[in-house]
Amino acid sequence: MATVTSTETQNLPISVQADPQPTEEKAAEEKPTEEKAAEEKTAEEKAAEAKPKIRRAIDEEGDNAVPATYPHYLPVWDHGEKYPPLEPFEHIEKGKGADPTFKDLLTEGFKLQHLTPTTGSEVSGVQLSKLSDAGKDQLALLVAQRKVVAFRNQDLADLPPQEAVALGSHFGPLHIHPTGPTAEGHPELMIVHRTVNTSEYDLILGNRNSTVAWHSDVTYEKQPPATTFLYALDVPEVGGDTAFVNQVEAYNRLSPLFKERLHGLKAVHSGIEQVEFSKKREGIVKREGITSEHPLVRTHPATGEKALFVNKIFTRKIVGFKDEESEALLNFLYDHIGRGIDYQARVKWAPGTVVIWDNRVTSHSAIVDWTTGERRLLARITPQGEAPIETPYVAEPK
Ligand code: SIN
């Protein structure tokens, strides 16, 4: 069966299947004799039934499915997995003060190629799993400067998943997604899994013109993610790229007067709808939804660059503006960010690719454009960063 599983964009109709297990009521309707049989069940059987459900994608693989290359990464939805609200912590920015010559990162034999002048690079000849701490710090700086960097021919997927988790932990406490599936036994590894065939593709586009859904990950958190990793497990031969937009450059393109007006504004970001959507679909909810107020223009702690910090998936309203004013300004910003192909980059996946982006200064969108039924299975490691900070507007020379 083709599956489209939830990601950040799960409140959009492209997620056509959440957790399809029937509710108690539906199950009773479908099998009226079950109630009677239940009375005859042993205490052990009843106890097993009372346990929270765990849905595993591996159990739903049809006979025709091409086996996953890394089946231990297939998504798992554990209805019993629950967490308290996230606690505040002091973020230590690894990119700040890192050696800007990148001598411990870009070591002998490396090749670095920029995807566009301002945004995105590709690196080969470097093995992320072998980096020293100094190399990891320089990685945070390189990603902050280039916004997104694709590392080719990595061994991360072949290593035990806990080694991938350990790499991500260098950059901050790892975020556990409130509604997303994980790799079994690794709550910090959020799994993105889609197999799209023609009829599914038609369904996805039934009510939409495009699958593009620009967003930064989980910006409703008080301390949203910073240096974020996504690595390939299985990817379509052609299609399923990820697009990135540079929100520093989006800020830079605005006129001085407009920039000045944006400074000091805050916006509400909400994760409540994501949680409600999951509840409605009988999906999992590991932590209740929250809202946060963040500055509309945030400053990166390592580069000092200012970036627009809004996205259509999670930003709801500008604090203190009336609804129409807020809508007009946010829509202008979303359009400005979305149409800036001259400050965007598109990463093509390949086996062994690890893509790292700075979630504080970018938005991204999966591109759902393949219809071959090929599997697109990726794992995300999402270190949290600082509570977004704003520094004052600085007038530019005329
Ligand atoms: C994400 O939103 O983090 C996943 C992006 C992708 O599937 O390309």
Side-chain angles (χ1 to χ4, degrees):
M1 180 173 48
T3 55
V4 177
T5 63
S6 46
T7 67
E8 297 308 344
T9 55
Q10 67 177 352
N11 51 347
L12 294 169
I14 58 171
S15 297
V16 297
Q17 183 193 1
D19 188 343
Q21 298 183 67
T23 59
E24 300 299 313
E25 291 85 339
K26 270 191 208 150
E29 264 171 43
E30 283 157 17
K31 294 176 189 154
T33 53
E34 265 192 4
E35 211 173 287
K36 215 170 148 208
E39 282 164 23
E40 287 151 26
K41 281 179 185 161
T42 64
E44 218 169 76
E45 281 170 330
K46 280 185 191 162
E49 274 179 10
K51 269 198 186 158
K53 293 173 289 188
I54 302 183
R55 175 186 163 211
R56 295 180 174 86
I58 200 158
D59 298 335
E60 297 164 11
E61 296 271 297
D63 290 344
N64 296 329
V66 176
T69 309
Y70 300 93
H72 55 295
Y73 272 101
L74 283 171
V76 171
W77 295 260
D78 181 349
H79 287 253
E81 197 182 343
K82 301 285 172 196
Y83 299 101
L86 294 177
E87 293 286 339
F89 68 94
E90 189 194 343
H91 172 69
I92 297 160
E93 175 54 38
K94 300 293 182 168
K96 194 171 174 176
D99 184 341
T101 68
F102 304 113
K103 69 178 170 44
D104 304 285
L105 172 66
L106 303 176
T107 45
E108 207 185 327
F110 83 91
K111 192 169 161 216
L112 177 134
Q113 205 168 11
H114 291 338
L115 295 175
T116 77
T118 61
T119 310
S121 299
E122 274 197 20
V123 173
S124 55
V126 167
Q127 200 53 258
L128 292 169
S129 64
K130 305 269 186 310
L131 289 180
S132 62
D133 282 355
K136 290 175 198 161
D137 294 351
Q138 292 160 26
L139 175 65
L141 181 60
L142 179 70
V143 171
Q145 289 179 353
R146 295 301 306 162
K147 314 306 180 266
V148 52
V149 184
F151 287 82
R152 303 296 187 184
N153 306 314
Q154 299 299 302
D155 61 7
L156 211 55
D158 299 310
L159 297 173
Q162 54 271 27
E163 291 192 31
V165 170
L167 172 64
S169 299
H170 179 80
F171 302 87
L174 299 186
H175 182 259
I176 296 178
H177 198 279
T179 59
T182 63
E184 186 133 33
H186 298 286
E188 313 86 349
L189 295 177
M190 198 200 87
I191 302 300
V192 177
H193 184 217
R194 297 173 193 273
T195 59
V196 186
N197 59 29
T198 315
S199 58
E200 186 134 20
Y201 185 67
D202 289 345
L203 192 63
I204 291 167
L205 287 181
N207 278 319
R208 304 182 65 198
N209 301 126
S210 163
T211 63
V212 172
W214 290 114
H215 65 283
S216 311
D217 291 329
V218 299
T219 58
Y220 47 79
E221 299 293 9
K222 303 287 177 225
Q223 294 182 251
T227 311
T228 302
F229 294 67
L230 190 63
Y231 54 105
L233 299 156
D234 281 305
V235 286
E237 176 114 9
V238 179
D241 298 354
T242 305
F244 291 86
V245 57
N246 179 341
Q247 297 202 169
V248 169
E249 200 52 27
Y251 169 83
N252 289 341
R253 298 291 175 96
L254 300 170
S255 66
L257 272 181
F258 199 85
K259 283 181 190 156
E260 192 173 9
R261 181 65 197 92
L262 295 186
H263 274 265
L265 295 178
K266 283 185 187 297
V268 178
H269 297 240
S270 173
I272 290 174
E273 298 78 1
Q274 188 176 57
V275 161
E276 291 312 310
F277 181 87
S278 194
K279 283 182 183 164
K280 217 163 67 192
R281 300 273 181 126
E282 294 154 43
I284 52 173
V285 175
K286 296 177 245 180
R287 204 170 44 244
E288 287 304 323
I290 63 160
T291 62
S292 297
E293 284 183 13
H294 295 310
L296 213 76
V297 178
R298 76 183 288 185
T299 300
H300 194 286
T303 62
E305 289 178 317
K306 297 187 171 82
L308 293 176
F309 192 62
V310 288
N311 71 90
K312 202 170 182 171
I313 301 293
F314 298 123
T315 311
R316 298 284 174 265
K317 191 171 181 342
I318 296 175
V319 178
F321 275 27
K322 293 186 178 179
D323 287 349
E324 296 92 327
E325 298 162 356
S326 171
E327 235 168 78
L329 181 51
L330 286 175
N331 282 335
F332 165 74
L333 293 174
Y334 301 148
D335 288 348
H336 168 60
I337 289 164
R339 74 172 158 252
I341 199 154
D342 49 346
Y343 40 91
Q344 294 171 8
R346 184 166 167 155
V347 175
K348 181 170 169 47
W349 291 95
T353 296
V354 177
V355 176
I356 311 172
W357 67 88
D358 196 314
N359 195 63
R360 297 168 285 199
V361 290
T362 52
S363 279
H364 57 272
S365 174
I367 299 176
V368 184
D369 59 353
W370 77 105
T371 56
T372 53
E374 284 167 286
R375 190 189 300 280
R376 183 177 185 271
L377 181 66
L378 307 165
R380 194 174 89 197
I381 312 174
T382 319
Q384 285 179 256
E386 74 285 3
I389 43 169
E390 176 171 8
T391 52
Y393 171 72
V394 177
E396 292 157 51
K398 292 229 163 91

